[in-house]
Amino acid sequence: MRISGNIYLKGDKSITHRAIMLASICNGESMVNNVPHSEDILSTINALSICGIKIKNKNGNLSIIGNTFKHPSIDIDCGNSGTSMRLMTGLLSSKKIRCRLIGDKSLSSRPMDRIVNPMRELGFDVLSTQGCAPIQLQSFEIQKDKEIHISIPSAQVKSALIFSSLIEGNNIKISEKYKTRDHLERLIDSINYRVLKISNNEITINHTAEQAWKGFEINLPGDISSASYFIAAATLLPGSELVINNVLLNNRRLGFIKSLIKMGANILISDEVYRHNERIGKLTIIGVKKLVPINVPSENIPSMVDEVPILSLVCSYASGTSIISGLDELRYKESDRLEGILNILTSMGVDIKISGSDIAISGKNKLYNTTNLNNYDDHRLAMMISIAQLIARGRIEYPDCINISFPDFKELLNKVII
Ligand code: S3P
C-alpha cells in the first residue's frame, strides 16, 4: 500500500476565520473563496449571521456584505470552535455588540480568561463564567493609549486583541513573548496597509477615521494543518509520491514539515508565490524507508501546535527516542491532547512517557491495536488514529468529529491510497 496523487486542499482554517471576520467589518462586498465546509468555519459564519452580517455561500465561495451589525436576540453558539469564540469576542467588542457567546461541552471547559482579562485591561466590560464560556459582552469604553503584553503562546489571544483594538482614534500596542501565527496581521496589512506597524514581536494598532475599510477578494491557500496527515502518510509509506498544490507555507506554521525534514523525510517545496502577504506553494512528498528521531525544543511548538499529535505518530516509527518539549498548551485544546496522545500511542504498543510538559517517544517498526480507540471526540486525535490505521494496514475509521476541521479527509485519502 502506498500514497500517490496530486491534490488540492480547501482553505486554511485559521486564515478562513480571519478573512470572514475581517470582511464583516469592511464596507460593501467581499469575496472569500475556497472556504472549507468545516464545522468550525460554519460556527464563525453562523455567529456573524446572527449579528446581522449577510453571508451567501456559492459553492464554497462566500459573498459577505460587511458593516451591517446589529445586537443579536439569541446567544451566539460557537460550537466546538475556540477560534470563533475568542476572535469574535474581540471583534464584536470593537463593534460594541452586546451579546453572550456560548459553546459545546468541550469549548465550555476551555480557558477564556486569557482573552477576558486583557480585554478588561483595555477597558471592555467583558465577563467569563468562572474563567470559561459563556462570555458576556456588556459595555465598551476602550482606553485610547494602552500597551498589552501576551505571555502565553496563543495566536487566538493576539488576534482577539487586534480585532478589539480596531476602533477609530486608538493607539494600542500589543507585544507577544512567543512568535505565534500572524495571519491576521498579514491580511490586515494587505487590505489596509496603514493600520498596523509591526516590529519584532510588537504590533501597534493605529486606526483613524480616514482609513476606510473596503471590501476585498481572497483566494484561500490550502490548509497546512490538514495537509500534515497526508504528508505523514506519504512519508511513512515507502514508494509513495504525493503532490499537494496551492498550500499555505507561512513560516510560523512550518514546524511540522521542518521537523520531518530533519528526521530524514523527503519533502520538496516548489512553485512559491505570495498572495495577500502569505507564502503559498507546492509540496512534493516521497516515501522513505527510515526516519531518525528528533528533539523538538519548546520554542518551536507554536509553529506546529496543532500538528503535535501527528508528529508523535511519525516519531513512533523513528529509529530511536524523540523528545518533544514544552507541550503545556496541548492540555487546553479541544481535548487534553497530551493525555490523548499518551493513551492512544500506549494502546498501540508505543513506548511513550510524559515528564512535566515534555514527551519522549521510542520508535518501533510496527504499531498494533489501532482500532476502537478513544479519540476524545477530538478531530486531530481522530485523524492521527486514522493515519495509524492506514500505516498498520488496518481498517480505517472516520469518526464524525473529523468534520470539525476536515470534512473532505475521507474522500481525499481514498483518492490517494493505492
Ligand atoms: C489557532 C491558533 C492555535 C491553534 C488553533 C487555531 C488560530 O491556538 O491551536 O487550532 O487560528 O489562531 P492558540 O493560539 O490558542 O495556541
Side-chain angles (χ1 to χ4, degrees):
M1 195 186 279
R2 61 197 176 93
I3 298 287
S4 170
N6 193 316
I7 57 171
Y8 288 80
L9 298 172
K10 292 282 185 212
D12 184 79
K13 189 158 75 78
S14 280
I15 301 185
T16 309
H17 282 294
R18 288 161 172 81
I20 297 173
M21 290 185 200
L22 207 53
S24 78
I25 58 171
C26 285
N27 294 322
E29 185 181 23
S30 292
M31 288 298 302
V32 180
N33 303 327
N34 193 31
V35 170
H37 199 69
S38 70
E39 286 173 11
D40 276 2
I41 295 302
L42 297 180
S43 291
T44 283
I45 294 174
N46 180 48
L48 285 167
S49 305
I50 291 174
C51 295
I53 301 298
K54 289 184 188 60
I55 304 180
K56 276 200 198 116
N57 189 344
K58 304 170 185 164
N59 298 324
N61 298 334
L62 299 188
S63 150
I64 301 164
I65 312 289
N67 261 339
T68 53
F69 284 96
K70 61 167 198 202
H71 297 288
S73 51
I74 53 171
D75 285 344
I76 299 173
D77 189 350
C78 296
N80 191 251
S81 175
T83 311
S84 307
M85 179 168 281
R86 294 186 175 127
L87 273 57
M88 287 296 291
T89 299
L91 178 100
L92 294 176
S93 297
S94 74
K95 289 287 162 190
K96 303 190 177 192
I97 302 293
R98 281 185 308 278
C99 60
R100 204 167 83 119
L101 295 118
I102 59 169
D104 70 5
K105 192 165 165 242
S106 147
L107 185 54
S108 302
S109 68
R110 296 177 66 185
M112 290 300 149
D113 271 352
R114 51 181 57 198
I115 51 160
V116 167
N117 289 341
M119 285 194 53
R120 292 184 71 82
E121 249 185 87
L122 281 176
F124 295 104
D125 186 8
V126 174
L127 287 179
S128 69
T129 310
Q130 281 137 31
C132 298
I135 298 179
Q136 187 95 33
L137 312 191
Q138 313 199 114
S139 66
F140 316 92
E141 288 308 324
I142 190 169
Q143 313 265 321
K144 294 281 177 223
D145 295 288
K146 192 86 189 153
E147 293 189 16
I148 300 267
H149 181 68
I150 307 169
S151 55
I152 46 170
S154 173
Q156 292 182 349
V157 172
K158 176 176 61 175
S159 296
L161 294 178
I162 293 175
F163 270 127
S164 73
S165 306
L166 292 175
I167 295 179
E168 282 166 19
N170 265 346
N171 184 15
I172 306 290
K173 209 176 261 181
I174 297 169
S175 56
E176 56 175 352
K177 185 168 168 198
Y178 302 90
K179 282 196 161 121
T180 62
R181 62 189 73 185
D182 55 359
H183 306 306
L184 183 59
E185 297 91 300
R186 286 175 182 272
L187 191 55
I188 290 177
D189 218 42
S190 78
I191 62 168
N192 203 339
Y193 66 92
R194 289 165 301 180
V195 176
L196 301 184
K197 280 196 194 71
I198 300 171
S199 73
N200 265 326
N201 289 7
E202 200 172 86
I203 303 157
T204 310
I205 301 138
N206 207 326
H207 191 251
T208 61
E210 308 84 64
Q211 293 163 331
W213 294 74
K214 282 199 235 93
F216 61 94
E217 176 159 16
I218 182 170
N219 297 322
L220 297 165
D223 191 311
I224 182 72
S225 294
S226 296
S228 65
Y229 303 95
F230 286 76
I231 297 169
T235 296
L236 290 171
L237 289 170
S240 296
E241 178 163 358
L242 178 69
V243 174
I244 309 179
N245 299 284
N246 188 44
V247 72
L248 177 71
L249 296 173
N250 180 315
N251 204 33
R252 296 191 187 190
R253 297 283 298 282
L254 282 190
F256 175 72
I257 291 179
K258 286 184 183 167
S259 301
L260 256 59
I261 291 173
K262 273 199 194 142
M263 295 176 80
N266 185 344
I267 303 172
L268 184 81
I269 294 180
S270 62
D271 297 19
E272 288 171 56
V273 290
Y274 275 83
R275 287 202 314 260
H276 282 277
N277 289 336
E278 291 284 8
R279 181 178 170 228
I280 298 159
K282 175 162 122 179
L283 293 173
T284 305
I285 306 108
I286 312 278
V288 291
K289 291 211 171 90
K290 188 178 168 209
L291 291 170
V292 295
I294 189 170
N295 273 331
V296 181
S298 51
E299 61 266 26
N300 290 3
I301 298 302
S303 67
M304 57 168 109
V305 65
D306 290 336
E307 286 72 73
V308 175
I310 189 67
L311 178 63
S312 304
L313 179 71
V314 174
C315 291
S316 304
Y317 283 100
S319 59
T321 302
S322 299
I323 314 271
I324 312 178
S325 302
L327 298 176
D328 314 82
E329 275 297 307
L330 265 74
R331 297 213 183 264
Y332 308 113
K333 297 296 173 190
E334 288 82 329
S335 70
D336 177 345
R337 285 192 182 147
L338 205 48
E339 206 58 30
I341 292 169
L342 174 76
N343 292 341
I344 291 164
L345 290 180
T346 303
S347 313
M348 292 182 189
V350 178
D351 178 6
I352 169 170
K353 287 187 184 63
I354 296 185
S355 114
S357 61
D358 305 347
I359 47 180
I361 302 170
S362 299
K364 51 197 300 179
N365 290 330
K366 199 161 168 44
L367 309 192
Y368 302 92
N369 308 323
T370 56
T371 37
N372 290 323
L373 297 172
N374 185 358
N375 59 37
Y376 300 84
D377 217 12
D378 180 320
H379 54 128
R380 304 223 183 262
L381 295 179
M383 288 188 277
M384 165 191 134
I385 294 173
S386 304
I387 298 300
Q389 291 162 341
L390 164 72
I391 308 299
R393 288 163 176 68
R395 185 173 58 83
I396 306 177
E397 298 160 322
Y398 299 98
D400 286 348
C401 63
I402 291 174
N403 295 335
I404 290 289
S405 63
F406 198 1
D408 308 328
F409 178 66
K410 178 178 180 181
E411 191 191 320
L412 268 177
L413 197 57
N414 280 330
K415 216 163 116 181
V416 295
I417 298 173
I418 55 172

